[in-house]
């Protein structure tokens, strides 16, 4: 702790994060926890990022971070080489050479309460929060308030068109912005949100009886079929923008718990970099001959 004068170690940060986001709460396919780093190395500054990519690593090194805490796993599938000639191997080399540890909290942070979607819900001022998709009863993550996504009530009812503009204003800025599916005039009082890819929770949003569901990575067929079946309106935000709000909560927790300095990355790692709205039919109508 900071009060003793000596900074916490990598092992101390890991212990604090494992308490808030127990690795056992992660999905079976997921890979979370300490990825690399010496357990007894001191940690004065932690960089919080959604994605471990060369740009965010560069940012963390420039900020003098001793450790990176990331949402998305750097290494998810089986790896047989971390040679510096590979994309991910290059990242691993940079971090080890700079003596920077890396820790991942992914689906275990999604399911936690507070977790990734609580921070997303807070951007909309949602109240009366409950999980959108609670863990299977008896599973390790089962517990009060826990689950993927959140359902809550907006402070003021508004139309889907207004909510879409609000979402674009309160979420971190991306080229993608926010698009919505459904009647623009539909009134929205209750909203479900889920950070990251939410395709798999369309049925949960319909069962929750909400007016709208905001998530990322929605696709033509699942979205169209969900709407045709009378499901809630859909808002499709940029994946990074739905998870970036959690980094503030993560950083505040680390600072309070361990007295470490924190830096939060605002570097937009969404792969989509260009967006053009189609011209409206009237915008540049040529005078008819
Ligand atoms: Zn994600």
């Amino acid at each position: 702790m900071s009060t003793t004068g000596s900074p916490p170690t990598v092992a101390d940060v890991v212990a604090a994060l494992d308490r808030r986001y127990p690795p056992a709460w992660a999905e079976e396919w997921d890979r979370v926890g300490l990825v690399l780093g010496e357990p007894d190395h001191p940690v004065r500054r932690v960089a919080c990022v959604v994605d471990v990519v060369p740009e965010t690593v560069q940012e963390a090194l420039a900020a003098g971070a001793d450790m990176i805490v990331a949402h998305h796993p750097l290494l998810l599938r089986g790896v047989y080489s971390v040679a510096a000639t590979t994309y991910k191997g290059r990242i691993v080399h940079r971090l080890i050479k700079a003596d920077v540890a890396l820790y991942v909290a992914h689906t275990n942070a999604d399911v936690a309460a507070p977790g990734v979607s609580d921070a997303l819900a807070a951007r909309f001022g949602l109240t009366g929060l409950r999980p959108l998709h609670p863990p299977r009863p008896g599973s390790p993550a089962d517990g009060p308030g826990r689950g993927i996504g959140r359902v809550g009530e907006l402070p003021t009812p508004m139309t889907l068109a207004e909510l879409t503009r609000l979402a674009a204003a309160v979420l971190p800025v991306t080229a993608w912005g926010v698009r919505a599916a459904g009647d623009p005039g539909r009134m929205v009082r209750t909203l479900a949100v889920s950070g990251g890819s939410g395709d798999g929770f369309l049925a949960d949003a319909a069962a929750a009886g909400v007016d709208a569901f905001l998530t990322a990575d929605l696709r033509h067929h699942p979205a169209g079929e969900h709407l045709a079946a009378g499901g809630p309106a859909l808002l499709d935000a940029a994946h990074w923008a739905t998870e970036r709000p959690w980094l503030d909560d993560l950083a505040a927790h680390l600072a309070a718990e361990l007295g470490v300095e924190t830096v939060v990355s605002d570097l937009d790692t969404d792969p989509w970099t260009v967006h053009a709205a189609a011209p409206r039919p009237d915008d540049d109508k040529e005078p008819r001959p």
Side-chain angles (χ1 to χ4, degrees), residues 5-289:
S6 60
T9 62
V10 167
D12 293 331
V13 181
V14 169
L17 287 167
D18 281 357
R19 277 196 299 276
R20 192 164 166 98
Y21 311 115
W25 292 1
E27 300 282 343
E28 229 154 88
W29 50 263
D30 206 0
R31 297 291 177 263
V32 301
L34 189 65
V35 180
L36 51 93
E38 297 282 1
D40 41 13
H41 193 262
V43 178
R44 292 180 180 82
R45 194 169 295 164
V46 178
C48 303
V49 307
V50 171
D51 290 296
V52 185
V53 292
E55 293 81 3
T56 54
V57 167
Q58 175 57 36
E59 200 181 38
L61 297 189
D66 306 295
M67 185 164 184
I68 295 175
V69 179
H71 186 47
H72 292 146
L74 173 67
L75 307 169
L76 183 62
R77 299 191 175 86
V79 167
Y80 58 89
S81 164
V82 288
T85 46
T86 64
Y87 174 79
K88 292 188 175 182
R90 166 60 53 195
I91 292 174
V92 168
H93 275 71
R94 281 197 80 186
L95 292 174
I96 291 177
K97 280 182 172 175
D99 224 341
V100 172
L102 172 64
Y103 181 98
V104 167
H106 190 213
T107 51
N108 47 332
D110 287 328
V111 82
V116 173
S117 290
D118 288 291
L120 177 57
R123 296 269 174 141
F124 293 88
L126 298 186
T127 55
L129 291 183
R130 59 188 168 90
L132 172 65
H133 181 86
R136 198 166 25 81
S139 69
D142 187 18
R146 285 184 221 135
I148 305 290
R150 294 293 181 265
V151 173
E153 199 156 317
L154 285 167
T156 331
M158 62 187 81
T159 65
L160 176 60
E162 289 166 337
L163 177 63
T164 308
R165 283 194 290 274
L166 175 71
V170 300
L171 293 179
V173 175
T174 57
W176 175 259
V178 181
R179 64 179 177 177
D183 175 2
R186 177 177 183 160
M187 287 305 292
V188 181
R189 287 172 185 81
T190 53
L191 176 65
V193 297
S194 190
S197 304
D199 253 352
F201 308 111
L202 291 173
D204 296 284
V210 292
D211 300 311
F213 176 37
L214 179 141
T215 185
D217 300 342
L218 291 178
R219 292 170 298 156
H220 178 92
H221 290 296
E225 286 164 22
H226 161 90
L227 288 168
L234 299 173
L235 293 97
D236 190 27
H239 190 128
W240 172 81
T242 61
E243 297 175 329
R244 159 65 185 83
W246 169 68
L247 301 182
D248 292 325
D249 174 63
L250 170 69
H253 179 73
L254 288 172
E257 191 82 355
L258 298 161
V260 291
E261 292 172 31
T262 56
V263 282
V264 170
S265 175
D266 263 315
L267 203 147
D268 171 8
T269 53
D270 204 60
W272 311 109
T273 53
V274 179
H275 173 90
R280 292 163 181 272
D282 297 336
D283 279 356
D284 55 356
K285 198 178 264 176
E286 297 284 325
R288 286 177 189 279

